[in-house]
Amino acid sequence: AAKQRRPHVAFHPTPGMGHLIPIVELSKLLVAHHGFDVTIITLAFSASKAQSDLLSSLPSPISSLALPSVSLDDLPADSRIETTMSVATARSLPSLRDALSGIKSSTNLVAFVGDLFGTDTFTVARELGLSHYMFFPSNLLTLSLLLHLPELDATTICEYGDLPEPLRLPGCVPIPGPDLLHPLLDRSNDAYRWVLHHAHRYREAEGYLVNSFDAIEPETAKILREPEPGRPPVYLVGPLTQKAKAADEDAECLRWLDQQPQESVLFVSFGSGGTLSKAQMTELALGLEMSGQRFLWVVRSPSDGGDTSEAYFSHQSKKDPFGFLPAGFVDRTREVGLLVPSWAPQVAVLNHAATGGFLSHCGWNSTLESVVAGVPMAAWPLFAEQRQNAVMLAEGARIALRPRGAAEGELVPREEVARVVRDLMDGEEGKEARQRVAELQKAGISGLEESGAAYRALDEVTKRWKSEAS
Ligand code: UDP
């Protein structure tokens, strides 16, 4: 009788809105087009308001289940997000096993899908005899890097940041060492050991579902789409992006955008938890003012200790973020700028006709949302894989402008902020980026339509799940 029931898939994202959001979108497609039921199994410690709002709005038959919380009190206070996610996942394996056995006994569970920092879950899936795949919420550049990491680790003596030449991965834009995935830059840190540990286990996945698409990184796609012995198949299922919610339309910032001329506003936001130093926040503010352009800025309090991922799990500022802006800035920019504390309905903003550019931390979801909305970017990477994304978006996809001389840890001065913002909104470079992003927008959206590449990739993987289970 189990065979006649709808097939069921269980996802287990590691913490972070950037991991959960595309999995929710993928789940909706699995339900709507492929006849699946879905359970999303989350870790309790990442329960922010944004996350609980998202999980409580899931349309049936997508349900969610939070594993009981585990203690992380013994982790050093300066543990990086990759360490925290990996440790929380490892400590939750017993409860994940219970949860999956429960789902398996009550549904027609055909596959388990972990994500990029959750390779330890494969052990549990294997014990339960489940097909185990990986959802990869970033791009093919990052997947390539992680697939090559064990070899890189074995053959590189120095820190990657000191590599004399940019790293050349097959089909990828060359990435200067200091721009590589942030946790790789200190090989003595636990975060590096965790990422390397996962990279060693990547090939245990039976396939990767990657949130990217051909046109944005065509050469890399060409290589990774070809089967390669010993490397699991790659399914390009993106761009998966959240849709604007009807309730967003009431937001004050959208009413403000209604009053602004077409494509005149720069949206400034650093993802679900990115923060700037106090000094950088000052330069950004004064640079925006100096540019003379209109802007809508999602402001968070600056990070005290230089950790730009400080608000990653909470999304909220602990203190009033506006209190950190330069004296008189709010008054002087009242006519052209709007400031929003901590969180904005980003997708609705990007799709508003008044939005003409996005100064972004280059998180992959934000990038795809910008592409789907046809908005060119100014790249302001902070942590995770954002610096290498910025290189790829500027030099490969050519949809982003980069401030000059913005090396890790260096301040971008106000004059350079003003230059990039003017170029993006009003200059020749911005015009080219706008044309390119329009092409990518078209390619990305059509891939998701029936008979499109992403649609067919998902169809192929779901057929595999169904047949492996029967
Ligand atoms: N987001 C949002 N409002 C905000 C900040 C973020 O809706 O004020 C959403 C954004 O639209 C995106 C996600 O949170 O879907 C952030 O994911 P991304 O991969 O860009 O960055 P991360 O948060 O992982 O650094």
Side-chain angles (χ1 to χ4, degrees):
K3 299 277 149 50
Q4 280 138 36
R5 281 183 290 165
R6 282 166 67 92
H8 199 110
V9 59
F11 286 98
H12 186 41
T14 50
M17 286 301 281
H19 303 166
L20 182 61
I21 287 170
I23 280 183
V24 167
E25 292 310 314
L26 183 61
S27 301
K28 290 181 191 164
L29 297 181
L30 288 167
V31 169
H33 301 153
H34 306 279
F36 274 75
D37 291 355
V38 179
T39 303
I40 300 175
I41 305 172
T42 60
L43 293 172
F45 94 94
S46 61
S48 63
K49 171 151 190 329
Q51 174 168 315
S52 50
D53 285 353
L54 178 60
L55 291 174
S56 63
S57 70
L58 294 176
S60 106
I62 306 173
S63 52
S64 72
L65 180 166
L67 298 180
S69 55
V70 290
S71 171
L72 299 170
D73 294 346
D74 55 321
L75 291 187
D78 62 353
S79 292
R80 298 207 175 146
I81 51 175
E82 294 82 4
T83 302
T84 314
M85 287 185 221
S86 304
V87 172
T89 303
R91 291 185 182 171
S92 302
L93 292 179
S95 53
L96 176 67
R97 186 180 297 114
D98 292 345
L100 281 175
S101 329
I103 299 169
K104 195 177 175 209
S105 62
S106 59
T107 74
N108 178 22
L109 183 63
V110 299
F112 169 79
V113 185
D115 82 3
L116 74 175
F117 297 128
T119 59
D120 289 329
T121 61
F122 292 158
T123 311
V124 170
R126 206 177 291 117
E127 276 170 28
L128 296 173
L130 287 170
S131 293
H132 46 286
Y133 286 69
M134 182 187 292
F135 177 72
F136 199 78
S138 183
N139 44 46
L140 292 174
L141 165 64
T142 307
L143 178 61
S144 302
L145 176 62
L146 289 169
L147 286 170
H148 282 86
L149 187 61
E151 185 193 323
L152 270 178
D153 180 71
T155 54
T156 310
I157 297 160
C158 62
E159 288 286 350
Y160 302 111
D162 298 330
L163 285 173
E165 293 292 324
L167 182 67
R168 289 167 199 279
L169 296 162
C172 299
V173 286
I175 307 290
D179 289 330
L180 288 170
L181 182 71
H182 195 256
L184 305 193
L185 295 185
D186 176 2
R187 294 173 74 175
S188 64
N189 191 288
D190 273 342
Y192 178 72
R193 284 193 280 274
W194 273 110
V195 173
L196 181 63
H197 163 77
H198 294 306
H200 274 292
R201 297 197 69 172
Y202 261 43
R203 284 166 206 264
E204 291 176 40
E206 290 171 58
Y208 309 109
L209 286 78
V210 184
N211 194 10
S212 188
F213 63 106
D214 238 272
I216 197 163
E217 37 184 356
E219 297 305 316
T220 324
K222 200 153 72 191
I223 289 169
L224 286 179
R225 242 191 298 90
E226 286 301 312
E228 183 192 304
R231 200 246 300 130
V234 172
Y235 301 94
L236 287 176
V237 297
L240 299 165
T241 55
Q242 57 177 339
K243 309 291 166 282
K245 290 182 279 299
D248 293 344
E249 289 304 319
D250 301 332
E252 186 206 336
C253 63
L254 289 165
R255 297 290 67 77
W256 180 81
L257 284 171
D258 288 343
Q259 312 301 316
Q260 313 306 320
Q262 193 148 352
E263 290 189 357
S264 70
V265 176
L266 176 75
F267 177 50
V268 181
S269 174
F270 301 99
S272 61
T275 52
L276 305 175
S277 68
K278 169 93 174 55
Q280 186 60 85
M281 192 167 165
T282 302
E283 292 306 307
L284 175 58
L286 298 177
L288 287 173
E289 181 181 356
M290 200 181 264
S291 78
Q293 302 293 317
R294 291 184 171 79
F295 61 86
L296 167 54
W297 180 6
V298 185
V299 185
R300 277 198 195 102
S301 309
S303 45
D304 311 321
D307 175 7
T308 53
S309 62
E310 199 169 78
Y312 185 79
F313 295 124
S314 68
H315 321 315
Q316 297 299 321
S317 291
K318 292 186 203 96
K319 306 187 186 109
D320 170 23
F322 296 170
F324 296 91
L325 293 163
F329 170 77
V330 177
D331 281 336
R332 293 194 305 271
T333 57
R334 204 173 288 286
E335 292 298 307
V336 290
L338 184 71
L339 304 170
V340 179
S342 292
W343 192 265
Q346 176 164 310
V347 174
V349 169
L350 286 171
N351 283 287
H352 196 287
T355 304
F358 183 14
L359 190 152
S360 167
H361 75 321
C362 301
W364 192 240
N365 292 289
S366 294
T367 302
L368 292 178
E369 287 160 9
S370 206
V371 167
V372 170
V375 175
M377 300 163 69
W380 195 296
L382 297 175
F383 58 94
E385 89 293 25
Q386 294 154 13
R387 296 190 70 88
Q388 59 184 43
N389 290 351
V391 177
M392 187 261 263
L393 296 171
E395 285 157 35
R398 292 184 286 114
I399 58 169
L401 275 53
R402 288 186 86 188
R404 278 194 280 265
E408 155 123 65
E410 263 175 37
L411 275 191
V412 182
R414 61 196 76 169
E415 295 78 15
E416 183 57 10
V417 174
R419 183 198 65 81
V420 165
V421 170
R422 273 195 219 108
D423 273 5
L424 178 69
M425 301 303 287
D426 211 12
E428 212 35 52
E429 267 192 284
K431 203 164 145 196
E432 282 167 29
R434 193 161 287 116
Q435 278 163 5
R436 277 284 300 156
V437 82
E439 290 166 28
L440 294 186
Q441 175 189 35
K442 201 158 155 256
I445 292 174
S446 68
L448 292 166
E449 287 163 3
E450 210 170 328
S451 83
Y455 188 102
R456 281 183 281 120
L458 190 56
D459 198 46
E460 193 184 331
V461 77
T462 55
K463 286 198 172 113
R464 250 183 89 179
W465 290 347
K466 290 175 194 165
S467 71
E468 280 164 9
S470 55

